[in-house]
Amino acid sequence: MNKILLPALFFFLLVTDGLFAQGNRNEKKILTYETLYDAPYEINKLWVQFQPVYTELFATNVNVGFGVEATYYWADKFDFRAHFRKPYLRQTDYQRNIAHYNSPDIDNKPAIFNFFEVGGTYHIKDWEEDTETFIYLYSQRYSNANKWKSMVPEKSMIPTKVRKIIGARGGAIAYKSNFALDRLIEEGLELPDVEGNLLPATIEHPFSSVSMQGGYVGASYSWIKNVAIDPDRSYSDLVKDLILTTYVDFIVAGNVGINDVYHDGTAYSAENIGKNKFGFRAGIDGKFNRNLSWAYNGEFGYRPGVSGKGLYALIKISFPVYSTDLDNRVEAFSK
């Protein structure tokens, strides 16, 4: 009898201990906190973004480089943006690098890829709503790296406000790039000179350059949260200050220019190279309402230019990002 009773008693103790432990784990904790501010309309006005790296997978010309960007919010009615980027080196400007090393028979000077954009967004609808924000509770206990690895951070949902903006976008775009002619010639492209003679088939890696100047119109949808809380117990102050924008644009080229190909002083006309004057893009852009921070942008679409070579995907990382409200005055009243 004891041989059966003792194992049964041991099993019962294990089960009941597990149930009590699980009950303790599932016990809800109550978070109390003080809201320091919850003001999605009180954001900085000017952002200056340095982009140490961008990567663009462009069917015309893959390139990697750097850029700079500036954004300005005006009177809760408009925001304006200007952006410029270019490759680090010839080696990170793929088609220019190939042309430099592999096209000795072409007299054209390889173009340096560059991209410029300036535009603005009108706030068609700009309003505020109540919502809930998911936050991680940071504690001084997590400051030790080894402790952080062995712990699951606590999290909570808190009621906050969110600002939403539906915008109408518009602006100008321009870029310049090299592109390869090999595949187009294989598909039947003919490049004649003034006498009708074609570019010799013996030339390896022929190339040309394309430039595009045009404009875009589109729509955007933004979410802005700008809240800080002071939790109780050992938790540190917490801030949620994300400005997130999604957008879709329709692009129209006012001009697409393609250079003739020069070989031994003879110009071979680029008139037969197809041009595409329409395109689109969709993307997401995120930054933070802080004096010093970072930002990100992802975008894909089809760009006007050489027909069949407009598809692209782009990732930009900005650091550092400097921002200011352009007004550091503090009102003072005598007691």
Side-chain angles (χ1 to χ4, degrees), residues 5 9 12 40 45 65 101 141 167 229 283 287 293 301 304 308 320 323:
L5 185 60
L9 180 61
F12 175 76
K45 295 180 180 178
Y101 284 112
R141 294 175 296 164
I229 66 170
K287 57 180 177 287
S293 63
S323 71

Side-chain angles (χ1 to χ4, degrees), residues 179-189 273 306-307 309:
F179 68 98
L181 290 167
D182 311 62
R183 181 66 60 84
L184 296 177
I185 292 175
E186 290 176 4
E187 294 173 354
L189 173 67
I273 298 176
V306 180
S307 182
K309 290 183 172 289

